[in-house]
Amino acid sequence: ELKRAMQDAARKEDFERATKLRNQLASIENIFSHKPLTRQRPARQRQTIDWPKIERVIKALFNTASTISRVEGYDISNISGTEATGSMVVFINGNPKKSEYRKFKIKTVKGANDVAMHREVMRRRLGRSDLPRPDLLVIEGGKPQINAVRKELRPGNWDIFLTALAKRDEELFIEGKAIPQRLDSLPTQVKFFFQRVRDESHRFAKKYHHKLREISYREKHQDKN
């Protein structure tokens, strides 16, 4: 029942609920595999990230020896192009650094064109001199989004690695590879890390989008009054 509910939540793009159900399912599987249960602690204390292991797998995916520490996730939220927003979330060595999250109100793109919106967000993000350069970008979407973002990576930024992960499909598009990588084929911690970056960027973009829509709604009704 949990698996069906989790799949239903994923189809409806309710990734926060899907993540909670996934965690519940993992807890039940631990019981049946006779693993010892420990008293639940707050999520930040309970989560353990084996970043060296995750980093080794990511390096292998990109065939690189370069250090991968700062990972940034991006998503776009809009309804028919209205009050469109973009999000940037940051993970350092596998852990979120919320003080460096950034939100973007789309300014130059009209209509529901999230490919162009991703390009605008990346152009504005790379123009920020107050933020460190990322090692890896995880973009919501597929090859079109990767191609759009790559156009904004000017000389000096070409060694930033690019991936794209769609909301519905559990496939990781890797720049330079024709065939996407199934998340299920990756080690569990690596799979969950990419899912977490995607879900967090989606949550952050959606939250800002809803806030802008509420502000717009209030302003319209104030004008009528």
Side-chain angles (χ1 to χ4, degrees):
E1 288 177 351
L2 278 174
K3 285 182 179 179
R4 284 196 295 269
M6 181 177 67
Q7 292 167 355
D8 182 62
R11 281 195 296 271
K12 294 177 179 177
E13 300 185 14
D14 188 351
F15 296 110
E16 290 178 86
R17 181 167 182 266
T19 300
K20 290 179 181 178
L21 290 169
R22 183 190 67 204
N23 292 340
Q24 291 176 14
L25 185 61
S27 297
I28 291 175
E29 288 175 342
N30 284 343
I31 294 173
F32 285 104
S33 62
H34 305 290
K35 292 182 180 178
L37 295 178
T38 58
R39 182 174 60 85
Q40 280 198 339
R41 293 170 292 172
R44 283 182 293 181
Q45 297 178 15
R46 188 170 65 249
Q47 269 184 336
T48 56
I49 300 293
D50 186 354
W51 182 248
K53 179 180 178 180
I54 296 172
E55 184 187 12
R56 282 197 298 272
V57 175
I58 295 175
K59 284 181 175 181
L61 290 174
F62 285 95
N63 191 27
T64 182
S66 300
T67 298
I68 295 178
S69 173
R70 183 185 177 92
V71 179
E72 295 181 358
Y74 293 83
D75 193 14
I76 299 295
S77 182
N78 72 93
I79 298 177
S80 301
T82 60
E83 304 297 344
T85 63
S87 68
M88 179 188 101
V89 298
V90 179
F91 286 73
I92 306 294
N93 294 333
N95 293 299
K97 189 170 184 180
K98 295 191 176 183
S99 63
E100 295 195 9
Y101 283 18
R102 296 293 183 271
K103 50 193 177 185
F104 302 84
K105 182 176 180 180
I106 301 301
K107 298 178 179 179
T108 64
V109 181
K110 305 299 181 184
N113 186 344
D114 73 328
V115 173
M117 291 176 186
H118 269 297
R119 187 172 180 180
E120 178 190 325
V121 168
M122 189 55 53
R123 180 169 61 251
R124 290 165 59 186
R125 184 268 177 263
L126 293 175
R128 298 283 299 264
S129 59
D130 59 322
L131 294 173
R133 186 180 61 81
D135 301 309
L136 172 66
L137 304 179
V138 181
I139 311 297
E140 185 281 317
K143 287 185 178 181
Q145 284 77 12
I146 285 181
N147 292 337
V149 168
R150 171 52 69 192
K151 291 176 181 177
E152 295 302 323
L153 296 181
R154 300 177 178 84
N157 291 320
W158 284 91
D159 55 343
I160 296 175
F161 296 110
L162 274 177
T163 62
L165 182 58
K167 292 187 181 78
R168 290 187 179 88
D169 302 324
E170 298 296 274
E171 292 182 333
L172 187 69
F173 289 86
I174 300 173
E175 187 180 28
K177 293 187 177 182
I179 300 175
Q181 181 89 32
R182 289 289 305 172
L183 287 186
D184 287 341
S185 69
L186 298 174
T188 301
Q189 280 209 37
V190 180
K191 168 187 171 181
F192 284 173
F193 172 69
F194 279 113
Q195 288 175 328
R196 189 181 181 196
V197 175
R198 176 198 58 194
D199 295 350
E200 181 69 349
S201 62
H202 177 68
R203 179 197 67 79
F204 197 52
K206 191 174 180 181
K207 181 179 178 181
Y208 185 40
H209 175 62
H210 286 172
K211 181 179 179 180
L212 292 183
R213 286 179 63 84
E214 288 173 5
I215 292 172
S216 176
Y217 178 84
R218 287 198 300 268
E219 288 176 346
K220 288 178 182 177
H221 281 73
Q222 285 174 355
D223 291 342
K224 290 180 180 179
N225 294 333

